[in-house]
Amino acid sequence: VQLQASGGGLVQTGGSLTLSCVTSGFTFDEWAIGWFRQAPGKEREGVSCISSSDGGTYYQDSVKGRFTISRDNAKNMVYLRMDNLKPEDTAVYYCAADWDQPVSDSWCGQYNYWGQGTLVTVSS
């Protein structure tokens, strides 16, 4: 199982970025995918997750209405569109995957496979 996040960078407050997660080594449409982030000095936290097949999604309260997760099963990729970025969104963002995790508006799932992160820096 391999995952690689990309698309991070430096953006001003209010700007947008789209993160991509390219995956391989597993049956993509059977696995849930999650985006997590870790800011300096803070614990890793779930940002947004998407289920394998029933369309279930999870968003952390702080990103609701600003971030959108989507997946392209034909390309084995997951995206995180981030709009109206704030300085508090600054973190290393990771994508993660696991088989058939339940995802709902209150549950992100649990993930055993992780990719390397991509740094998002939002300047004030």
Side-chain angles (χ1 to χ4, degrees):
V1 175
Q2 292 189 324
L3 304 99
Q4 180 62 57
S6 63
L10 174 63
V11 64
Q12 292 184 332
T13 296
S16 297
L17 284 174
T18 297
L19 305 184
S20 300
C21 178
V22 60
T23 73
S24 63
F26 58 97
T27 305
F28 183 77
D29 61 3
E30 295 180 357
W31 287 49
I33 308 292
W35 284 100
F36 294 77
R37 67 187 180 187
Q38 188 165 21
K42 295 187 177 181
E43 293 186 355
R44 187 175 62 197
E45 59 182 3
V47 176
S48 182
C49 301
I50 188 166
S51 68
S52 57
S53 58
D54 67 2
T57 57
Y58 166 88
Y59 293 96
Q60 184 192 102
D61 285 346
S62 69
V63 308
K64 285 180 179 177
R66 300 189 297 122
F67 290 12
T68 304
I69 192 170
S70 61
R71 62 189 295 157
D72 185 335
N73 287 350
K75 296 183 178 179
N76 291 359
M77 292 189 68
V78 176
Y79 306 95
L80 185 67
R81 169 74 179 185
M82 305 185 296
D83 295 315
N84 190 22
L85 283 161
K86 303 177 180 180
E88 51 264 44
D89 295 318
T90 295
V92 177
Y93 284 71
Y94 302 87
C95 55
D98 218 312
W99 181 77
D100 199 28
Q101 288 295 300
V103 177
S104 70
D105 58 5
S106 60
W107 179 249
C108 200
Q110 293 180 307
Y111 299 87
N112 288 304
Y113 300 91
W114 295 79
Q116 293 183 328
T118 185
L119 176 63
V120 172
T121 304
V122 185
S123 64
S124 58

